[in-house]
DNA sequence: AAAAGAGTCATACTTTAGGGTGATTTTGTC
DNA sequence: GACAAAATCACCCTAAAGTATGACTCTTTT
């Protein structure tokens, strides 16, 4: 926050210097003040908008205490939608493409049968995929898988 | 958007007039320009921030076409979290307290057995509740119920 | 007091999901 | 071409989930 204010101040100073400089270079003396004011207003309005946009990117801080390692980790999760796939987590978990695909279909409320029909593969295959999927996510029910998937931001 | 720009322009004009007026009233002549610039910058930065904050309040427009009544309704849903219970929908659907409670437990990934244990009631009762719940939501699987529940904002 | 709504429970039955194991086929990589 | 990873499928069995129906108890409303 202090950085922002400092940045604003410095920018304003620079701008004034710049404008004063141009004042002696060109012949825009008559409307100089209005032009300056307009320019400053424009620039700071844009900066303000940018800052405003940045401010709304709410960050949720999840504090995970790993007792075993006696280390306190802070994971900053960007909660400002829309959904951006967390590819790191995806590879970290070792989820394959197919497994990921099936997870999202599960999340959409489809039954295994429906998923099988949709992907033109056997029901058994869906079961194998989902089993492995659950194992990798450390869950044992599809509803939990969906929950975890959303939490880890690997599905929308 | 055009309103915003107009507002900015008018404000800038007013400000300049105001400042010019004060220039002849007080003796702040020496640093007048810097003060003006600073004031303008400040005001427009604040305006920008406000605008930026307003811009990020994404609104999702759901268009519901009621064919029977030949009326097109537009429901504007504010999507800028956090969860606010849509009580209207809740009563509209006729969900009872218990059913709603069970829906949220389902959404948390609990099995029927777990819910039964948690609420100290029989597994069969959970089944009856969930059945009626599904019927009211127009679904036939718990994953779909969770989806719909979130969509209708009756669960977080 | 009767009716209605909500909550509870049971029994019986069907469907879907999940776990375990093993096997075959594709596909991409060295 | 060999190898590994991914994807496919089958079979078996158990566990959950879901459907249908009927019934009992409270509580609130009429």
């Amino acid at each position: 926050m202090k950085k922002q204010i400092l940045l604003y101040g410095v920018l304003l100073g620079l701008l004034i210097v710049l404008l004063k400089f141009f004042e002696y270079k060109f012949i825009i003396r008559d409307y100089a003040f209005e032009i300056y004011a307009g320019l400053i207003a424009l620039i700071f309005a844009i900066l303000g908008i940018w800052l405003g946009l940045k401010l709304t990117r709410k960050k949720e801080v999840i504090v995970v205490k790993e007792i075993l390692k006696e280390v306190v980790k802070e994971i900053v999760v960007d909660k400002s939608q829309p959904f951006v796939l967390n590819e790191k987590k995806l590879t970290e978990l070792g989820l394959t493409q197919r497994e990921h695909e099936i997870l999202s279909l599960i999340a959409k409320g489809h039954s295994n049968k429906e998923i099988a029909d949709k992907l033109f593969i056997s029901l058994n295959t869906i079961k194998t995929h989902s089993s492995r999927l659950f194992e990798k996510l450390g869950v044992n029910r599809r509803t939990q898988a969906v929950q975890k998937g959303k939490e880890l931001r690997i599905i929308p």
Side-chain angles (χ1 to χ4, degrees), chain A:
Chain A
M1 203 58 214
K2 280 185 179 173
K3 272 188 201 167
Q4 280 325 331
I5 293 165
L6 204 74
L7 177 68
Y8 271 46
V10 170
L11 206 83
L12 180 59
L14 275 173
L15 206 63
I16 289 170
V17 169
L18 201 74
L19 290 173
K20 282 281 180 196
F21 173 72
F22 274 105
E23 186 175 356
Y24 293 106
K25 267 248 155 171
F26 300 100
I27 343 110
I28 343 160
R29 286 238 176 97
D30 294 357
Y31 292 96
F33 182 77
E34 282 77 3
I35 292 171
Y36 294 168
L39 270 175
I40 290 169
L42 186 67
I43 288 168
F44 276 80
I46 290 168
L47 261 175
I49 290 170
W50 173 76
L51 187 63
L53 288 172
K54 210 184 159 194
L55 280 174
T56 43
R57 235 170 267 147
K58 295 161 205 150
K59 304 236 169 171
E60 186 185 314
V61 178
I62 300 167
V63 179
V64 182
K65 293 192 186 181
E66 296 192 39
I67 298 161
L68 282 173
K69 297 179 185 172
E70 290 179 51
V71 173
V72 177
K73 261 194 209 169
E74 285 204 0
I75 302 163
V76 177
V77 178
D78 192 4
K79 261 248 169 171
S80 69
Q81 295 69 32
F83 174 65
V84 179
L85 214 171
N86 188 348
E87 291 181 65
K88 213 187 296 171
K89 261 275 146 31
L90 206 58
T91 52
E92 198 181 304
L93 289 166
L95 279 197
T96 68
Q97 250 186 285
R98 217 36 163 174
E99 285 161 0
H100 184 223
E101 187 178 9
I102 284 162
L103 175 58
S104 11
L105 289 172
I106 286 175
K108 282 184 186 166
H110 294 294
S111 70
N112 288 342
K113 179 76 177 59
E114 285 169 354
I115 298 172
D117 289 347
K118 191 162 200 151
L119 301 180
F120 301 106
I121 55 181
S122 144
L123 176 60
N124 289 305
T125 308
I126 304 296
K127 287 189 179 184
T128 342
H129 281 315
S130 61
S131 275
R132 278 208 272 266
L133 175 57
F134 295 163
E135 204 178 345
K136 287 177 184 175
L137 288 176
V139 301
N140 39 21
R141 262 189 297 287
R142 48 177 54 225
T143 40
Q144 294 178 332
V146 172
Q147 247 216 156
K148 195 126 194 178
K150 295 200 174 192
E151 191 183 310
L152 301 175
R153 296 186 307 125
I154 55 180
I155 47 170

